[in-house]
Amino acid sequence: MATSVDALRGVTAITVTPFDGAGAPDWSGYEAIVARMGEAGVQVITPNGNTSEFYALSRTEWQRANEVTAAAAGASVVMPGVGYDVGTAKDMAVAVQQLGAPLAMLHQPVHPHQSVAGWVAYNREIAQSAPGLGFVLYVKDTRIGSDALGSLFDACPNVVGIKYAVPDPLRFGEICASLGTDRVAWSCGLAERWAPSFWPLGAAGFTSGGVNVAPRLSLDYLAALRSGDQGEVRRLWALIAPFEELRAEDATARNVAVVKEALAQQGLCGATVRPPAGDLSPQQREQVTEILASWAEAGY
Amino acid sequence: MATSVDALRGVTAITVTPFDGAGAPDWSGYEAIVARMGEAGVQVITPNGNTSEFYALSRTEWQRANEVTAAAAGASVVMPGVGYDVGTAKDMAVAVQQLGAPLAMLHQPVHPHQSVAGWVAYNREIAQSAPGLGFVLYVKDTRIGSDALGSLFDACPNVVGIKYAVPDPLRFGEICASLGTDRVAWSCGLAERWAPSFWPLGAAGFTSGGVNVAPRLSLDYLAALRSGDQGEVRRLWALIAPFEELRAEDATARNVAVVKEALAQQGLCGATVRPPAGDLSPQQREQVTEILASWAEAGY
C-alpha cells in the first residue's frame, strides 16, 4: 500500500465516462483517455468519481469502468470511487479488491440528514470492512474537523488519504495543523485553481478533471507547486483558470460537459452527458475552443 | 389517478423505517406506525422518503417497505419514493406499478453537477417511462422555475404534483402565479412550520415526518389551514414548532432521530438510525419528552 499512498501526493485524475450516439458508454474512447494519462505519468486515476458521472451510471457500468481503467492505466495507481449506502459501498470495496486495485475513494454520503458522528460511523464501517484496501475519504462538509478525522485515523489504519473539498483553506490548515501531514496524504479536492491556497498548509496533491484533456499541463503544474516556483505556478494557474471557471458556472452544471467537449474537440470521444448534468451552448463550446487554443500556444 | 391527486391536497406522511437491535428493519413496528396513520385518515403515505432513510436502505428493504405500507395503509394513498440514476428510478417505477400504488414521489437527483435543463430531462425521461403512474416531483433547487416545470407539465400528463422544498415562499408564489394551481397539486415540502407561508400562495398540502408521531395533530393543522382560521393555525404552529426546530438543528442531522425517539417513547419502535444520520444526546431525548408532554396536554 505504501507506493500507492506516495502516489496520492501527486495528481489524482477523475476520469470522464464518454457516451456513444446511443447513450451507452464508449469504452474504447474511455480506454484511449486513460491510456494517455497513464503514459504521461499521472500518479493516480479514479474511475467513478463525480466527473465520471458516478451518480448516472448503473452498477454494471461502474464495474466495467473499473476494469477498463485497470487494463489501460499503465503505471498509474487505480483508485475507483465507491459509495451510496453502507451495504452497497462495502460490496463495491470487495469488487475493487477483486480487481486488484490498491485504493478506493469513498464518496461523501448522499444522505440529506447527516451528523459528524454519523459521517464518522459511515466511513469507519466501510473502511473496516476491507482492511486490505486503502481508503481516501472525500470531505465536502465544513463540520468535519480534526476530531472526526483523527478518530478515523485511529480506528482505521487503512484510511490513507483525505480528499478535502471544502473551499476554506483556513479550515483545511487548522485540520492539518492539528493532525500533522504524515499520517495520511492530503489532497486538494477542488482541482487546480484551489491547489496553491491549500499547498503551503499541508496539501501534497490535487484532484483534477482537466488532466483528462491536458495531462502534461497538470503534471507541470504539480512540479511547479512542488518546487515552490511562484512565477511558474502563477503562469500555469492563469492558463488553467478559464477552463475551471467555465466548469464552475451555474452551480457546476457543466463541470463534466466542459471536459467532454474539450476531449471531443481533440477527437477522443463524444461530448454528451447524461441527465441531470448540463450541456454546453454553442457559445460555451466556442469558449472551450479558445481555451484549447491558448493551451496549444503554451505548448499543451 | 384523479382520487389520488385529490389526496395530494392534504397531508403527505413520510414514514420512518424503524430498526431492531441488530440493525435490521423492524417491519412489525413499521406496520403499526403506518396503520395508525391510515386509521387517522392521513391522505397520502410515502415510504422511502428522506425521513425514511431512503439513502441508507438496500433495494430489498426499499421493496419491502413499499409492500408493508401498501398492506397497512388502509384508505390512505400510497406514494413510494423512487430515485437514483435514471435506469434505477425507471426500474423502481415499474415495481411501484406492480405493487398497485397509483403515485410515486421522484427524489431530487443526487448528482452534484446539474443544470435546469438536465433536471428537466431527468424527470421527463423517468415520468415518460411509466405513463400510467402519477408522479410528484421533488424540487430542492432554487433554479427550478416556471419554465422548467411548465415544460414538464406539457410533456408529462402524469406529473400530478410538486413537492416544493426550497425555503423561499416568494419563489414558490412566483411559480404558482405563472403556472396556476389547477394543473398539479402543490405541496409545501418543508413540513408544518413552513406550510402557512406557502398556503395563501398556492399550496394545498404539506409533507410531514411529525405525522408519524401525532397523526391527528397534523390533520387538525391541515383543517385549520384549509378553513383559514388564523388563531387555530397559530396555536398549532406553536405546538409543532419546537419539534421541527429540534429536527432542523445542526444541518438537519437529527431530522430522523427526533421522530424515531418520539415513536420509541410512545412504545411503537426503537430509536436507532443508520449512519450517517445523527443520534440524540440524553438532553435532546429529554427535549422530545417535554414536547410530547406539551402535545398530550393539548389533547394529542
Side-chain angles (χ1 to χ4, degrees):
Chain A
M1 208 184 282
T3 317
S4 312
V5 177
D6 286 346
L8 290 169
R9 298 190 171 93
V11 178
T12 295
I14 314 297
T15 61
V16 291
T17 313
F19 301 121
D20 63 22
D26 162 19
W27 296 118
S28 70
Y30 183 90
E31 191 180 7
I33 295 162
V34 170
R36 183 171 71 166
M37 290 195 284
E39 284 157 19
V42 170
Q43 286 79 10
V44 180
I45 301 181
T46 288
N48 289 303
N50 283 330
T51 299
S52 321
E53 297 173 75
F54 175 67
Y55 294 108
L57 300 178
S58 72
R59 184 65 183 277
T60 310
E61 292 166 342
W62 176 86
Q63 175 68 26
R64 184 75 186 276
N66 295 341
E67 291 168 1
V68 176
T69 307
S76 301
V77 170
V78 175
M79 176 170 74
V82 302
Y84 291 116
D85 63 281
V86 170
T88 300
K90 284 181 180 179
D91 289 348
M92 287 179 162
V94 170
V96 168
Q97 287 188 289
Q98 284 169 345
L99 189 73
L103 301 176
M105 190 276 285
L106 181 49
H107 279 274
Q108 76 290 358
V110 292
H111 201 297
H113 308 302
Q114 303 182 30
S115 71
V116 171
W119 184 87
V120 168
Y122 174 92
N123 282 277
R124 187 178 54 231
E125 195 172 333
I126 296 162
Q128 288 184 341
S129 77
L133 184 64
F135 280 88
V136 170
L137 310 184
Y138 196 162
V139 178
K140 290 188 85 167
D141 184 335
T142 188
R143 295 174 302 165
I144 308 301
S146 53
D147 285 354
L149 291 174
S151 74
L152 283 165
F153 295 172
D154 291 343
C156 310
N158 60 328
V159 167
V160 296
I162 298 295
K163 173 176 172 158
Y164 195 80
V166 180
D168 180 349
L170 298 192
R171 182 67 167 150
F172 176 72
E174 191 182 286
I175 293 169
C176 289
S178 170
L179 295 172
T181 55
D182 295 334
R183 170 62 185 83
V184 299
W186 297 90
S187 179
C188 167
L190 295 165
E192 283 86 349
R193 270 195 313 171
W194 276 98
S197 303
F198 283 72
W199 208 265
L201 298 168
F206 57 86
T207 59
S208 173
V211 68
N212 286 279
V213 178
R216 280 198 306 108
L217 175 54
S218 295
L219 289 167
D220 284 357
Y221 188 63
L222 173 70
L225 286 163
R226 281 177 172 169
S227 72
D229 181 343
Q230 196 192 51
E232 183 67 355
V233 167
R234 291 176 62 215
R235 184 179 77 85
L236 297 177
W237 189 94
L239 205 55
I240 295 167
F243 188 77
E244 292 299 310
E245 282 163 14
L246 197 55
R247 295 181 67 202
E249 278 177 14
D250 191 18
T252 76
R254 292 172 293 278
N255 173 288
V256 182
V258 168
V259 180
K260 285 188 167 178
E261 174 62 26
L263 289 164
Q265 292 187 16
Q266 293 178 337
L268 279 168
C269 70
T272 55
V273 294
R274 285 187 179 167
D279 282 319
L280 304 193
S281 67
Q283 192 194 347
Q284 288 156 344
R285 285 200 289 273
E286 182 62 36
Q287 285 178 268
V288 172
T289 306
E290 286 162 15
I291 292 165
L292 288 181
S294 75
W295 290 3
E297 200 178 336
Y300 296 105
Chain B
M1 207 184 283
T3 317
S4 314
V5 178
D6 286 346
L8 290 170
R9 298 190 170 93
V11 178
T12 295
I14 315 296
T15 61
V16 290
T17 312
F19 301 120
D20 63 22
D26 162 19
W27 296 119
S28 70
Y30 183 90
E31 191 180 5
I33 295 163
V34 170
R36 183 171 70 168
M37 291 195 283
E39 284 157 20
V42 171
Q43 286 80 8
V44 179
I45 300 182
T46 288
N48 290 302
N50 283 328
T51 299
S52 321
E53 299 174 74
F54 174 66
Y55 294 108
L57 300 178
S58 71
R59 183 65 184 276
T60 311
E61 292 166 343
W62 176 86
Q63 176 67 26
R64 185 75 186 277
N66 295 340
E67 290 167 2
V68 177
T69 307
S76 301
V77 170
V78 176
M79 177 171 73
V82 302
Y84 291 116
D85 63 280
V86 169
T88 301
K90 283 181 180 178
D91 289 348
M92 287 179 161
V94 169
V96 168
Q97 286 187 291
Q98 283 168 346
L99 189 74
L103 301 176
M105 190 274 287
L106 180 49
H107 279 274
Q108 76 290 358
V110 293
H111 202 297
H113 308 301
Q114 302 183 31
S115 70
V116 171
W119 184 88
V120 168
Y122 174 92
N123 282 277
R124 186 179 53 230
E125 194 172 335
I126 296 162
Q128 287 184 341
S129 78
L133 185 63
F135 281 86
V136 170
L137 310 184
Y138 195 162
V139 178
K140 290 189 85 167
D141 184 335
T142 186
R143 295 174 301 166
I144 308 301
S146 52
D147 284 355
L149 292 174
S151 73
L152 283 165
F153 295 172
D154 291 343
C156 310
N158 60 327
V159 167
V160 295
I162 299 295
K163 171 176 173 158
Y164 195 80
V166 180
D168 181 349
L170 297 194
R171 182 67 167 149
F172 176 74
E174 191 181 287
I175 293 169
C176 289
S178 170
L179 295 172
T181 54
D182 295 333
R183 170 62 184 83
V184 299
W186 297 90
S187 179
C188 167
L190 295 164
E192 283 87 349
R193 269 195 312 171
W194 276 99
S197 304
F198 284 73
W199 209 266
L201 298 167
F206 56 86
T207 60
S208 173
V211 68
N212 286 279
V213 179
R216 278 199 305 106
L217 176 51
S218 295
L219 289 167
D220 284 359
Y221 188 62
L222 173 71
L225 285 163
R226 281 177 172 170
S227 72
D229 181 342
Q230 196 192 52
E232 183 67 357
V233 167
R234 291 177 63 215
R235 184 179 78 84
L236 298 177
W237 188 93
L239 203 56
I240 296 167
F243 187 77
E244 291 298 311
E245 281 163 15
L246 197 54
R247 294 181 69 203
E249 277 178 16
D250 191 18
T252 75
R254 292 174 293 278
N255 172 289
V256 182
V258 168
V259 180
K260 284 188 168 177
E261 174 62 26
L263 289 163
Q265 292 187 16
Q266 292 178 337
L268 278 168
C269 69
T272 54
V273 294
R274 286 186 179 168
D279 282 321
L280 302 194
S281 67
Q283 191 193 347
Q284 287 156 344
R285 285 200 289 272
E286 182 63 35
Q287 285 178 268
V288 171
T289 308
E290 286 162 15
I291 292 165
L292 288 182
S294 76
W295 290 2
E297 200 177 336
Y300 296 105

